[in-house]
Amino acid sequence: VSAAKKGLASLTATAVVEAGTKNRSPEEVDTWLDERAQNLGSLSGQELTAVSLNGLSEHWKEGIAFLWEVLFEPAFDPKRISIVKKQALDGLKRELDLPEPLGHRAFLETLYGSKSLWGSQVSLKSLKKINRSEMIRFHKQYFGLNNMIFAITGDFSVHELKQELKTLRENLEKK
């Protein structure tokens, strides 16, 4: 991602988990998670993005299908994207007021150079420029089965899990 679009991966990952799906509004996603004591989260770094779902083993099958829906059918609700963007901007403003993160940013830029993947930093300017259509494009380009590694742990039958993933994959390929 170019320096002008620093923060796009992170905003997209956050929007994927917070801005609803094609079948559920953001509020319905929140309710689904709350009713099942599930925790959905994302993080994005310089080289990878991770999305996780943690919950009770009794809901594992439903949870896998839900995570699949979140990953491959995001709605990118404009109102929720506005909130996600504001939270990211506010978080960065707070970070820029603290000496330790500022020092870390300066260290990386000095060590790697401002044009390298590891030295260039997200800025308020780059975050403000990112829009919904860019998030959708980024998602289409990078959120595909050929770009993902699934790590699944818990109390479930491996045979049942493989069958469930096979079914989900086949359904995705039909779309």
Side-chain angles (χ1 to χ4, degrees):
V1 177
S2 72
K5 294 299 174 191
K6 278 290 187 174
L8 177 58
S10 181
L11 282 179
T12 302
T14 303
V16 163
V17 302
E18 293 189 18
T21 71
K22 291 179 181 169
N23 300 318
R24 303 172 207 250
S25 70
E27 295 77 19
E28 289 171 323
V29 167
D30 294 342
T31 299
W32 189 95
L33 292 165
D34 289 344
E35 288 175 350
R36 290 159 185 82
Q38 304 273 329
N39 182 23
L40 179 65
S42 69
L43 66 86
S44 189
Q46 300 288 37
E47 299 174 341
L48 67 90
T49 295
V51 176
S52 64
L53 179 69
N54 300 305
L56 302 172
S57 60
E58 65 193 67
H59 300 296
W60 77 265
K61 196 178 275 192
E62 191 180 11
I64 296 279
F66 176 79
L67 181 60
W68 204 266
E69 180 183 334
V70 166
L71 287 171
F72 299 114
E73 299 178 16
F76 293 100
D77 177 79
K79 289 180 186 174
R80 194 60 74 97
I81 284 177
S82 177
I83 293 168
V84 164
K85 210 169 156 181
K86 182 177 180 347
Q87 289 171 337
L89 286 163
D90 289 347
L92 183 56
K93 286 176 188 174
R94 283 190 305 276
E95 182 180 306
L96 294 173
D97 280 341
L98 299 170
E100 186 175 337
L102 275 176
H104 184 73
R105 291 168 72 89
F107 173 73
L108 292 175
E109 187 172 328
T110 301
L111 185 63
Y112 296 111
S114 63
K115 295 193 187 303
S116 88
L117 173 65
W118 300 279
S120 62
Q121 303 292 317
V122 65
S123 68
L124 295 171
K125 184 178 178 181
S126 67
L127 280 179
K128 287 177 183 175
K129 288 183 178 181
I130 296 169
N131 62 48
R132 180 177 182 267
S133 63
E134 290 168 322
M135 290 182 209
I136 292 170
R137 251 192 321 276
F138 186 89
H139 177 268
K140 283 182 181 175
Q141 184 174 359
Y142 294 107
F143 279 67
L145 290 175
N146 58 339
N147 287 337
M148 293 186 173
I149 297 171
F150 286 89
I152 303 168
T153 61
D155 183 19
F156 51 80
S157 158
V158 173
H159 175 74
E160 285 183 66
L161 174 64
K162 285 181 180 179
Q163 190 58 46
E164 185 68 19
L165 290 173
K166 181 180 178 202
T167 301
L168 290 167
R169 181 184 183 129
E170 288 169 355
N171 290 340
L172 181 64
E173 289 170 350
K174 289 178 188 175
K175 293 182 181 186

